[in-house]
Amino acid sequence: TKQSSSARSDIRNCTTSPPFLPPTVTDTSAQLNALRQRMQFYNISAYIIPATDAHMSEYIAERDARLAWISGFTGSAGTGVVTTKKAALWTDSRYWTQAERQMDCNWELQKIVWTDSIGEWLLQEIPADENIGLDPFLFSIDLWNSYAHVLQGSSRTLVPIEDNLVDLVWGSQRPPLPTSEIYLLPETFTGSTWQEKVSGIRSQMEQHSRSPTAVLLSALEETAWLFNLRGDDILYNPVFYSYALLTTSDISLFVDRNRLSAEALQSLSALCPGPLCVQVEEYNQVRASVQAYAQGDVRVWIGTEYTTYGLYGVIPQDKLVESSYSPVMTTKAVKNTKEQVLLKAAHVRDAVAMIQYLLWLEKNVPKGSVDEFSGARYVDKLRREKEHCRGASFETISASGLNAALAHYSPSNVSSRKLSVDEMYLLDSGGQYLCVWPGLIFVLPRSVPTKTALTMSRNRQTMVVTLSRLPPGWRVVEAFARQALWKVGLNYGHGTGHGIGNFLSVHEWPVGFQSNNVPLVKGMFTSIEPGYYQEGEFGIRIEDVALVVEAQTKAYLTFEVVSLVPYDRNLIDISFLSEDQYLNTYYETIHQRVGPELQRRQLEEEYEWLRRNTQPFSRGTLVATSLGTLAITSLVSTLLPDRQT
Ligand SMILES: *[C@@H]1O[C@H](CO)[C@@H](O)[C@H](O)[C@H]1NC(C)=O
Ligand SMILES: *[C@@H]1O[C@H](CO)[C@@H](O)[C@H](O)[C@H]1NC(C)=O
Ligand SMILES: *[C@@H]1O[C@H](CO)[C@@H](O)[C@H](O)[C@H]1NC(C)=O
């Protein structure tokens, strides 16, 4: 089934005449014409359109999907630039193929990903003495400054335009503001009251060398976490549009008051008046309120990654206390004991759903009755039935064969590939539980069609397993994780880990392994997700969720894996593994924790499946490959965390 790139019918081809456009492409000519008229009116030669919202959210509501509306590209990361003649989109390698499937030939895809490439492109495309427009509420300070830096001294000016030009063109077609209820998360799911959290942040303010008098919160997860409130403004993300200004004596929450449940209002005002009384102000008053506050003898602490240029601009420079992340972001990243317990318990329920799905696939894929879309719907349903589950935590990635090479592909009811026992299948799905959020990714192992493909897939998969156990030494974890692939000249185009929210976001910053992440400490949760993608052929990824814990040798930290689904045995070639205990210990844990739950639910067949799939590997076992050859392998599992310390 290997397809040569010239024959691919799933991506656009702008070099043929007429251009070849697959049905997944959006015609953007009308939108672009209308935008260019507005640009002329505002006297700008280029307009920059990000994929984020005014809170720097990674996942956004439909009404903020401006880049998708103007370009057709729906990936979660990207930047568009429209000039009078051209339109260009920058996105990272995860999304290149998706962009070629969704954009028409009005748009060029820019695959250069270094930060300054947009600025450099603008220098080339825009004549001197002309203006480049952007919405100051959609760019973080850091990003704004990076553009300004490249353009400095070039006589091209960055012009903040407070009317969003895409919104003006979108007009009445733009989805409306949400009106759904904002509700209180009971203390049984949070482990600390919002008053305790506020007091904790205030003591961090006191201890700070510059004694900030206020913290400004712009990220939606920050306000949701701080006040123990949740909403549903963004699909899969239980947050609501809001800002907060927390001072040493007052608390302002900027939100649509009418949306707060009676219980939520009661909780916020229970201790009024006083330092633990929350004043509710209108959402769009935030700029004026911050500006008024900043007139006084004050110092406002902001996280530069999440504060927009539009808000930053109203605080005088000498009154700013800047760090990359606000104290709320960094405090939220460390889960309390209750949250840890809840997260682990949710992983048991989630494992039940996954095992039900795997068994169902084993029965139904050989009949040819499952496609990517129906599979995704079924796994979502199984999960939704579980206790405290509030549905999926992100759009289910259900990708078969060559689609799995797109690290973030989701099927639709118009394009969905049939699952086959001859192809790799990549499922990346997770649940929002009223307490936690396990994200689970694994590969359904099937045999692959040709001998070469088989050998290759098995080897790569094994490397991936090896990589999923990482030693401490946080700053270098990325390099450790990629070492086995680097040795053979391969790599993957996404980070190896990200933090996990407590009934919040599937990707919770600033936890992760990259240079812009904070150091790991005890109590943080992170994913560990090495992968390998062979474009046009297949893709594999393993994603475990792990809790950072103290190692037996104190002073060291290590990981406790909390995901409880066994890897596919067919794809593990144990001769590649270098430690002989890790997998067996892990499988025993899975069996001990998930087995009783399956029995309690009388899922006998699933229990039997679990028993089979968590059998220990043993040194010297004869392993039958699907080619029918026998290979004597020695059991070597991955790095035991404690050995590293
Ligand atoms: C586009 O079509 C041209 C001419 O048929 C072909 O040479 C080229 O390989 C195609 N490109 C892609 C990406 O399919
Ligand atoms: C448009 O912007 C340029 C560059 O700043 C300026 O020279 C010109 O006068 C402006 N034109 C109008 C009509 O405002
Ligand atoms: C496919 O999905 C779209 C969007 O969710 C929906 O409007 C449409 O009715 C669906 N079509 C079929 C055939 O199910």
Side-chain angles (χ1 to χ4, degrees), residues 350-421:
D350 207 74
V352 171
M354 295 316 307
I355 289 167
Q356 288 177 294
Y357 184 56
L358 287 172
L359 178 65
W360 180 82
L361 286 174
E362 277 188 10
K363 288 182 182 166
N364 292 289
V365 172
K367 294 185 206 155
S369 59
V370 185
D371 63 31
E372 296 168 333
F373 191 69
S374 65
R377 270 199 319 207
Y378 190 62
V379 73
D380 290 349
K381 171 178 170 290
L382 288 170
R383 183 172 273 127
R384 238 186 347 263
E385 292 164 357
K386 302 297 172 281
E387 192 189 7
H388 297 320
C389 187
R390 290 291 177 95
S393 51
F394 52 94
E395 186 175 7
T396 296
I397 295 169
S398 169
S400 181
L402 76 159
N403 285 338
L406 277 57
H408 290 84
Y409 162 90
S410 296
S412 75
N413 58 6
V414 285
S415 71
S416 177
R417 193 179 177 92
K418 190 171 275 187
L419 267 55
S420 151
V421 292

Side-chain angles (χ1 to χ4, degrees), residues 323-618:
S323 54
S324 295
Y325 302 98
S326 82
V328 169
M329 269 297 179
T330 47
T331 307
K332 171 166 66 62
V334 181
K335 308 304 187 244
N336 64 37
T337 314
K338 176 153 227 162
E339 289 171 322
Q340 293 180 19
V341 168
L342 289 168
L343 193 136
K344 289 184 191 177
H347 270 284
V348 175
R349 297 195 292 275
D350 207 74
V352 171
M354 295 316 307
I355 289 167
Q356 288 177 294
Y357 184 56
L358 287 172
L359 178 65
W360 180 82
L361 286 174
E362 277 188 10
K363 288 182 182 166
N364 292 289
V365 172
K367 294 185 206 155
S369 59
V370 185
D371 63 31
E372 296 168 333
F373 191 69
S374 65
R377 270 199 319 207
Y378 190 62
V379 73
D380 290 349
K381 171 178 170 290
L382 288 170
R383 183 172 273 127
R384 238 186 347 263
E385 292 164 357
K386 302 297 172 281
E387 192 189 7
H388 297 320
C389 187
R390 290 291 177 95
S393 51
F394 52 94
E395 186 175 7
T396 296
I397 295 169
S398 169
S400 181
L402 76 159
N403 285 338
L406 277 57
H408 290 84
Y409 162 90
S410 296
S412 75
N413 58 6
V414 285
S415 71
S416 177
R417 193 179 177 92
K418 190 171 275 187
L419 267 55
S420 151
V421 292
D422 295 329
E423 288 186 333
M424 301 284 278
Y425 171 55
L426 188 149
L427 175 80
D428 182 347
S429 73
Q432 255 311 359
Y433 289 78
L434 243 198
C435 43
V436 288
W437 189 320
L440 279 178
I441 301 189
F442 63 91
V443 186
L444 176 69
R446 311 303 308 181
S447 63
V448 266
T450 67
K451 186 170 178 186
T452 13
L454 178 69
T455 314
M456 180 159 70
S457 297
R458 286 173 58 85
N459 296 354
R460 302 281 154 81
Q461 168 72 3
T462 303
M463 280 188 245
V464 169
V465 174
T466 313
L467 296 181
S468 68
R469 307 294 141 208
L470 301 172
W474 316 114
R475 294 297 187 186
V476 293
V477 163
E478 279 289 347
F480 268 100
R482 291 168 201 272
Q483 219 166 43
L485 286 170
W486 282 350
K487 270 187 196 150
V488 284
L490 304 170
N491 204 354
Y492 50 92
H494 56 76
T496 304
H498 56 77
I500 314 266
N502 173 22
F503 189 41
L504 282 171
S505 302
V506 65
H507 295 159
E508 190 176 84
W509 306 106
V511 175
F513 303 131
Q514 297 190 326
S515 56
N516 56 347
N517 295 118
V518 294
L520 292 179
V521 300
K522 194 171 75 160
M524 287 176 170
F525 281 87
T526 176
S527 71
I528 301 176
E529 48 177 306
Y532 177 71
Y533 310 91
Q534 178 103 9
E535 196 180 337
E537 290 182 40
F538 69 93
I540 52 183
R541 173 163 74 252
I542 287 182
E543 180 165 351
D544 287 327
V545 173
L547 169 64
V548 180
V549 295
E550 260 169 7
Q552 272 161 18
T553 327
K554 289 276 165 27
Y556 282 91
L557 296 172
T558 185
F559 295 113
E560 175 189 340
V561 173
V562 300
S563 304
L564 294 169
V565 181
Y567 309 123
D568 193 299
R569 300 176 84 82
N570 297 333
L571 290 172
I572 298 174
D573 184 340
I574 53 178
S575 66
F576 278 86
L577 304 179
S578 59
E579 284 278 350
D580 62 359
Q581 278 190 39
Y582 177 78
L583 270 187
N584 286 349
T585 313
Y586 176 48
Y587 278 17
E588 201 180 309
T589 308
I590 295 178
H591 191 265
Q592 278 169 3
R593 300 208 50 206
V594 184
E597 184 66 15
L598 291 170
Q599 286 180 311
R600 194 177 68 79
R601 292 167 192 251
Q602 297 178 333
L603 294 170
E604 295 305 330
E605 236 184 313
E606 282 79 0
Y607 181 77
E608 180 51 30
W609 184 96
L610 178 72
R611 204 193 52 74
R612 272 199 320 272
N613 283 280
T614 50
Q615 292 283 312
F617 293 94
S618 57

Side-chain angles (χ1 to χ4, degrees), residues 17 83 101 200 270 317 448 564:
S17 173
T83 69
R101 284 179 172 184
Q317 196 65 41
V448 266
L564 294 169

Side-chain angles (χ1 to χ4, degrees), residues 46-284:
Y47 190 61
I48 311 182
I49 306 152
T52 188
D53 62 13
H55 305 274
M56 304 289 100
S57 305
E58 179 181 8
Y59 297 97
I60 53 177
E62 281 295 308
R63 64 181 273 103
D64 288 316
R66 300 176 178 92
L67 184 61
W69 185 76
I70 199 86
S71 71
F73 170 70
T74 60
S76 67
T79 306
V81 180
V82 176
T83 69
T84 47
K85 293 197 188 67
K86 290 189 179 174
L89 179 119
W90 281 256
T91 187
D92 62 79
S93 63
R94 289 176 299 171
Y95 291 115
W96 290 343
T97 304
Q98 182 179 339
E100 301 273 19
R101 284 179 172 184
Q102 296 184 317
M103 298 196 305
D104 66 7
C105 295
N106 283 313
W107 287 84
E108 45 186 72
L109 176 61
Q110 296 285 341
K111 294 185 173 177
I112 310 150
V113 291
W114 68 80
T115 349
D116 289 346
S117 69
I118 295 179
E120 284 164 9
W121 187 84
L122 285 166
L123 282 178
Q124 257 175 37
E125 296 292 328
I126 306 301
D129 302 320
E130 295 193 4
N131 300 325
I132 296 149
L134 22 65
D135 178 343
F137 290 97
L138 294 183
F139 293 86
S140 69
I141 308 153
D142 290 346
L143 193 53
W144 180 285
N145 288 342
S146 76
Y147 293 149
H149 179 74
V150 181
L151 297 176
Q152 201 173 22
S154 76
S155 38
R156 292 161 186 86
T157 313
L158 278 185
V159 182
I161 301 176
E162 287 182 24
D163 294 324
N164 186 287
L165 303 197
V166 175
D167 293 352
L168 291 177
V169 176
W170 206 346
S172 61
Q173 301 299 306
R174 186 178 174 217
L177 276 165
T179 53
S180 55
E181 188 176 78
I182 297 166
Y183 56 93
L184 187 68
L185 201 57
E187 210 186 313
T188 42
F189 295 123
T190 63
S192 40
T193 64
W194 70 257
Q195 289 90 344
E196 286 164 350
K197 292 177 179 177
V198 162
S199 303
I201 300 303
R202 281 184 173 146
S203 33
Q204 292 188 48
M205 289 159 64
E206 273 167 34
Q207 283 154 22
H208 193 287
S209 60
R210 293 199 50 212
S211 322
T213 58
V215 175
L216 173 62
L217 302 178
S218 294
L220 300 183
E221 290 159 62
E222 294 180 307
T223 41
W225 177 85
L226 185 63
F227 299 109
N228 290 337
L229 298 175
R230 296 294 188 272
D232 67 351
D233 295 4
I234 298 180
L235 191 59
Y236 308 119
N237 293 253
V239 294
F240 52 93
Y241 286 115
S242 56
Y243 294 94
L245 186 68
L246 168 64
T247 77
T248 43
S249 54
D250 298 291
I251 309 165
S252 298
L253 173 62
F254 301 88
V255 68
D256 181 351
R257 164 184 282 269
N258 298 323
R259 295 181 56 198
L260 291 166
S261 70
E263 221 188 358
L265 261 177
Q266 156 65 23
S267 157
L268 296 174
S269 59
L271 298 175
C272 285
L276 289 173
C277 165
V278 179
Q279 324 267 356
V280 178
E281 298 188 44
E282 278 311 316
Y283 172 73
N284 48 26

